């Protein structure tokens, strides 16, 4: 029960329901860099992250990595293939030693029919992805590379606010990860970080990225709305 209690989709369920759902999940330990599934793979299981984190990613024909998102404790992934019966939309790789549960397709649909509150949680995820992708499409069309990097830092800052105009990002993605997210190269990200560091907008302290002035960062993004 210690694992299932960490999953956000189940947080409104009672203990009896949790025990029943938990009996249908196999919890496994995954080592760092383990591959959970590949893009286009025909497996249909649904996964739940109880500890650690994973990355949803894929690769272009030239071998360039295209990062989609990182998933951490409490999150669910893999449900798209169970819902539409088609192949996996991305590959998923473990970022650190993790405990991850898997539920088969049949039990996933049993759960969806039995617990409407879980259906709501499942539906909220693609809704969030749609909003995220709309922002991405806008940024690719309206922003240059420097502004896309700034927009990504701003997005992270707004998720890690510690006071009205300050953020502390403890699990900051690497420059390479940000480059993959905003469709550029690592050197361009490093240059932009150096620029806004010189402006005093960001600073690094003990491995944490400090955004000292969120409003100033937002003002730097020429087309951001």
């Amino acid at each position: 029960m210690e694992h299932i209690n960490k999953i956000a989709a189940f947080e409104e369920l009672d203990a009896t329901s949790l025990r029943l759902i938990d009996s249908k999940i196999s919890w496994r330990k995954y080592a760092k860099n383990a591959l959970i599934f590949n893009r286009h793979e025909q497996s249909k299981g649904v996964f739940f992250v109880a500890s650690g984190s994973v990355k949803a990613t894929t690769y272009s024909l030239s071998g360039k990595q295209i990062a989609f998102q990182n998933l951490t404790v409490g999150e669910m992934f893999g449900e798209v293939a169970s819902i539409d019966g088609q192949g996996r939309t991305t590959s998923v790789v473990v970022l650190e030693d993790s405990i991850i549960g898997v539920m088969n397709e049949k039990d996933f649909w049993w759960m969806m029919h039995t617990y409407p509150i879980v259906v709501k949680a499942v539906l909220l995820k693609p809704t969030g992805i749609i909003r995220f992708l709309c922002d991405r499409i806008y940024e690719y069309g309206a922003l240059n590379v420097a502004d896309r990097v700034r927009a990504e830092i701003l997005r992270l800052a707004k998720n890690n606010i510690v006071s009205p105009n300050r953020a502390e990002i403890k699990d900051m993605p690497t420059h390479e990860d940000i480059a993959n997210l905003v469709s550029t190269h690592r050197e361009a990200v490093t240059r932009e970080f150096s620029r806004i560091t010189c402006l005093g907008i960001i600073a690094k302290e003990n491995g944490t990225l400090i955004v000292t002035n969120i409003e100033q960062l937002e003002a730097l993004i020429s087309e951001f709305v």
Side-chain angles (χ1 to χ4, degrees):
M1 291 291 288
E2 66 173 305
H3 300 323
I4 198 170
N5 282 328
K6 297 177 182 177
I7 308 305
F10 306 143
E11 61 186 9
E12 295 188 44
L13 296 177
D14 58 37
T16 300
S17 298
L18 286 174
R19 280 192 291 271
L20 184 54
I21 291 174
D22 190 54
S23 70
K24 300 179 183 297
I25 298 176
S26 297
W27 298 100
R28 305 172 183 174
K29 292 182 179 179
Y30 287 84
K32 180 179 179 180
N33 296 325
L35 176 68
I36 296 180
F37 55 71
N38 267 316
R39 186 177 184 224
H40 299 316
E41 185 178 306
Q42 293 300 312
S43 61
K44 299 293 185 287
V46 179
F47 296 80
F48 308 92
V49 184
S51 71
S53 59
V54 301
K55 176 192 289 186
T57 188
T58 190
Y59 294 88
S60 69
L61 293 176
S62 64
K64 178 183 177 182
Q65 186 181 72
I66 303 169
F68 285 82
Q69 62 179 149
N70 291 356
L71 300 162
T72 58
V73 175
E75 297 192 80
M76 169 178 57
F77 64 94
E79 71 280 6
V80 172
S82 280
I83 291 171
D84 67 9
Q86 299 186 44
R88 299 296 189 181
T89 55
T90 68
S91 299
V92 174
V93 178
V94 179
L95 292 176
E96 58 187 308
D97 291 352
S98 303
I99 296 176
I100 297 170
V102 59
M103 174 185 285
N104 66 42
E105 180 185 15
K106 179 181 177 181
D107 288 334
F108 173 73
W109 280 106
W110 161 83
M111 181 177 68
M112 294 282 280
H113 285 295
T114 306
Y115 300 104
I117 196 66
V118 176
V119 176
K120 178 182 177 181
V122 171
L123 290 176
L124 283 173
K125 185 180 176 185
T127 301
I129 291 173
I130 289 168
R131 292 183 181 278
F132 173 80
L133 292 177
C134 285
D135 286 344
R136 282 281 188 235
I137 292 169
Y138 166 79
E139 289 169 12
Y140 289 156
L143 306 182
N144 60 32
V145 169
D147 280 342
R148 293 205 301 272
V149 174
R150 295 167 187 166
E152 188 61 31
I153 299 171
L154 180 63
R155 182 179 291 108
L156 291 165
K158 288 186 173 181
N159 289 332
N160 293 276
I161 292 174
V162 294
S163 64
N165 199 31
R166 179 184 173 92
E168 296 182 2
I169 307 168
K170 295 182 179 180
D171 297 317
M172 187 67 193
T174 66
H175 288 190
E176 183 175 0
D177 286 339
I178 292 175
N180 291 332
L181 286 169
V182 303
S183 191
T184 187
H185 51 83
R186 181 178 57 80
E187 292 78 10
V189 175
T190 300
R191 284 196 299 270
E192 191 52 37
F193 266 72
S194 296
R195 289 192 192 104
I196 57 180
T197 298
C198 290
L199 292 172
I201 297 174
I202 63 172
K204 198 167 186 180
E205 298 178 6
N206 300 320
T208 296
L209 186 75
I210 310 297
V211 181
T212 60
N213 193 321
I214 295 174
E215 292 178 359
Q216 188 178 0
L217 175 60
E218 190 164 9
L220 282 178
I221 304 173
S222 58
E223 297 288 340
F224 192 82
V225 293

